[in-house]
Amino acid sequence: MHPSGSELIVHDAAIRANTAAFARLTGGRVMAVLKADAFGHGAIARSVLDAGAASIGVAAIPEALALRDAGIAAPVLSWLNTPEADFAAALRADVELAVPSAEHLLAIGRAARELGIPARVHLHADLGMSRDGCPPREWAALCRLAREFEALGGLRVVGIMGHLSCADEPAHPQNTRERLVFESAVRTAGRRGLTPRTRHLAATAATLTGAVPGFDVHRIGAGLFGIDPSRSTSSLRPALTLRSRVVSVREVAPGTGVGYGLDFVAERRTHLALLPIGYGDGLPREASGRAEVLVRGRRRPIVGRFSMDMIVVDTGDEALSPAEPVTLFGPGDAGEPTVAEWAAWSRTIEHEIVTRLGSRAARIHRSHDTAPRAQTAGGPRT
Ligand SMILES: *Cc1c(COP(=O)(O)O)cnc(C)c1O
């Protein structure tokens, strides 16, 4: 037991099963997206590679370097860096880099020349969401510049990537629009003399729904962790269980208030249990007044405002024992709340719940536990 009293169990078997399902679905063309500490799941790179992922994608270069430090030799792509980022370190670590602008291309090209290590880059096209990637107006110029760098040697465009704004709604007309922008970007690159071997567009939602073709690589993040933004399948397995333990218990009289502001007031005589986990550990304070836990096989409400380090559970007529385990969320098989329920209680998405969990709860990787949910034969339904 971690000194904090809380533990975050990572079900590696579930992540491996999800990865294998996407590998089957895509014919082995999965780039496992392990940004933000693998969506809060920690060290699972080796598991996803063993289960069929062909490469790894991360946002920033330090995330890629951490994978190399952990001994991961698979291809790694980093797509979100400022033009002042340590591209030299990325090149020395054999990390591929996405290029959203001429400034990035110049900085990467310069680092590659100085080191004498050729850079492998993926040109990133903005397809409509006006976020990351090169705007359509500047795309042809970026391709021309990239071709000039290729001709000088020391840099090679190996990929073209785009990202969809509305893939979780497969019928949204924007999916077709953005696919056409992507195809046009690929043609423009070809006309400028670039010959990238991989084009990649689809992430979890588009891969599950088939909203757009996957092209050569599917960048799968959420789905590896049992999160389906499109809500089109029920066969993915959630991969986290968060448990804590009771610090102390008390019986209180009707009219007793709980926590800051005394937002909750007991209506009847009841038992309260204190858990040593709060918003400082990543529990969303927004879920105050709605969230539940599972203890002794029953759902019990968390009452009062969440504090930084603690929450209070109302257990009614039942008095828990100090040190007794309580489940905050899990795959849902035993009736415990799921990450999806926590997201609804907090008016956010599952991604935010899993990525905000702090380091105070020890991450415990279980590689051989029984899979939390029976997998249907063919993997995710499409
Ligand atoms: C996070 C991210 C992904 C993965 O998306 P999921 O919906 O989690 O599969 C893919 N591509 C880019 C550019 C991303 O930032």
Side-chain angles (χ1 to χ4, degrees):
M1 172 56 56
H2 195 256
S4 76
S6 301
E7 58 188 19
L8 187 63
I9 298 158
V10 183
H11 304 286
D12 284 20
I15 296 170
R16 278 199 299 271
N18 294 333
T19 305
F22 279 99
R24 278 196 301 277
L25 190 62
T26 63
R29 293 172 297 172
V30 171
M31 175 187 290
V33 177
L34 304 185
K35 61 192 181 187
D37 199 21
F39 287 58
H41 293 65
I44 52 83
R46 226 173 284 280
S47 293
V48 299
L49 292 167
D50 287 348
S55 63
I56 295 175
V58 293
I61 288 170
E63 297 178 300
L65 300 181
L67 290 166
R68 290 288 184 250
D69 287 345
I72 301 297
V76 175
L77 168 65
S78 160
W79 55 67
L80 187 63
N81 297 290
T82 68
E84 295 81 32
D86 193 352
F87 293 121
L91 296 176
R92 275 194 294 266
D94 196 24
V95 172
E96 299 183 7
L97 295 161
V99 170
S101 79
E103 288 74 26
H104 289 80
L105 192 63
L106 292 168
I108 294 167
R110 195 180 315 119
R113 263 200 317 282
E114 282 169 10
L115 284 173
I117 300 175
R120 292 193 310 283
V121 304
H122 298 238
L123 300 186
H124 187 175
D126 171 28
L127 308 180
M129 72 192 298
S130 311
R131 197 185 64 167
D132 197 7
C134 176
R137 265 189 304 112
E138 297 161 27
W139 179 253
L142 183 65
C143 290
R144 196 181 317 116
L145 189 60
R147 183 64 201 125
E148 286 169 15
F149 268 100
E150 278 195 346
L152 290 173
L155 183 145
R156 173 139 173 70
V157 175
V158 297
I160 295 189
M161 66 184 282
H163 195 60
L164 299 165
S165 63
C166 302
D168 54 342
E169 300 172 55
H172 200 295
Q174 191 65 13
N175 291 315
T176 302
R177 257 180 243 136
E178 293 180 5
R179 173 175 60 79
L180 293 172
V181 174
F182 185 66
E183 288 170 348
S184 161
V186 169
R187 280 195 303 274
T188 299
R191 277 199 300 272
R192 301 287 167 186
L194 299 173
T195 53
R197 59 180 155 74
T198 56
R199 303 155 299 167
H200 41 113
L201 177 57
T204 296
T207 299
L208 288 173
T209 65
V212 298
F215 294 94
D216 307 308
V217 169
H218 296 247
R219 299 187 309 268
I220 307 296
L224 304 181
F225 309 106
I227 298 171
D228 171 14
S230 68
R231 304 193 179 285
S232 62
T233 175
S234 56
S235 64
L236 296 174
R237 306 178 188 186
L240 287 179
T241 293
L242 179 61
R243 288 213 194 101
S244 192
R245 279 176 195 265
V246 174
V247 171
S248 59
V249 294
R250 72 186 65 203
E251 188 176 6
V252 297
T256 306
V258 177
Y260 286 119
L262 307 181
D263 278 3
F264 174 83
V265 176
E267 286 173 4
R268 55 189 163 76
R269 179 160 290 281
T270 193
H271 291 87
L272 302 176
L274 177 67
L275 301 183
I277 187 167
Y279 65 79
D281 302 283
L283 291 184
R285 189 168 172 277
E286 170 79 3
S288 300
R290 286 186 287 270
E292 298 171 342
V293 299
L294 185 81
V295 58
R296 294 190 187 175
R298 289 188 63 165
R299 291 280 188 112
R300 297 292 192 180
I302 300 171
V303 292
R305 272 181 224 167
F306 285 30
S307 298
M308 185 183 294
D309 310 311
M310 54 192 119
I311 54 176
V312 174
V313 175
D314 182 353
T315 59
D317 294 335
E318 203 166 30
L320 302 186
S321 307
E324 201 168 335
V326 174
T327 303
L328 288 105
F329 59 71
D333 305 295
E336 74 275 21
T338 60
V339 167
E341 283 180 271
W342 275 90
W345 291 329
S346 324
R347 310 187 202 291
T348 183
I349 55 175
E350 292 159 75
H351 312 56
E352 189 179 347
I353 301 296
V354 296
T355 53
R356 59 185 290 163
L357 300 167
S359 54
R360 265 200 294 193
R363 274 168 186 68
I364 299 168
H365 288 263
R366 293 261 169 86
S367 40
H368 299 297
D369 60 358
T370 46
R373 185 179 296 175
Q375 175 89 349
T376 52
R381 266 186 287 114
T382 54

